[in-house]
Amino acid sequence: MSWLVLVLSGVLEAVWATALGRSDGLTRLGPSIVFVVAMIASMIGLGYAMKELPVGTSYAVWVGIGAALTVVVAMATGTESASVAKSVCLAAIIGGVIGLKLLH
């Protein structure tokens, strides 16, 4: 259960990071509300997962999922350019997250 919560919390990290970028410095109400709600839910989930999983592994997986999904969303929406080099780097992040899971 902790792993599922951790993965969902990582997805929520991507949600709040994307919403923060779209909030125009927290001046747009809708994205600002999404940012705050997703951030709180993401932190609660991370804290829950850390009750059973090691802190280092939990944090690395949470950040890796959030960072990778944030870049993928940005590339998919055209707010960030896509390239082979970026794809290779994303694959390295995802591979690291999978490796940490397998080693736990």
Side-chain angles (χ1 to χ4, degrees), residues 5-101:
V5 171
L6 182 61
V7 169
L8 293 175
S9 296
V11 171
L12 285 171
E13 185 193 1
V15 170
W16 69 251
T18 301
L20 179 60
R22 294 180 179 172
S23 73
D24 197 25
L26 299 176
T27 60
R28 295 181 57 220
L29 183 60
S32 297
I33 290 170
V34 171
F35 162 70
V36 171
V37 171
M39 184 179 63
I40 290 169
S42 180
M43 293 294 174
I44 289 170
L46 176 62
Y48 174 85
M50 285 183 173
K51 288 181 180 182
E52 293 184 16
L53 303 173
V55 172
T57 299
S58 298
Y59 184 70
V61 168
W62 179 75
V63 168
I65 291 170
L69 282 178
T70 301
V71 173
V72 168
V73 168
M75 289 190 306
T77 60
T79 57
E80 188 169 323
S81 64
S83 69
V84 172
K86 284 183 184 179
S87 297
V88 169
C89 292
L90 286 171
I93 292 170
I94 293 165
V97 167
I98 292 169
L100 287 170
K101 167 61 174 129

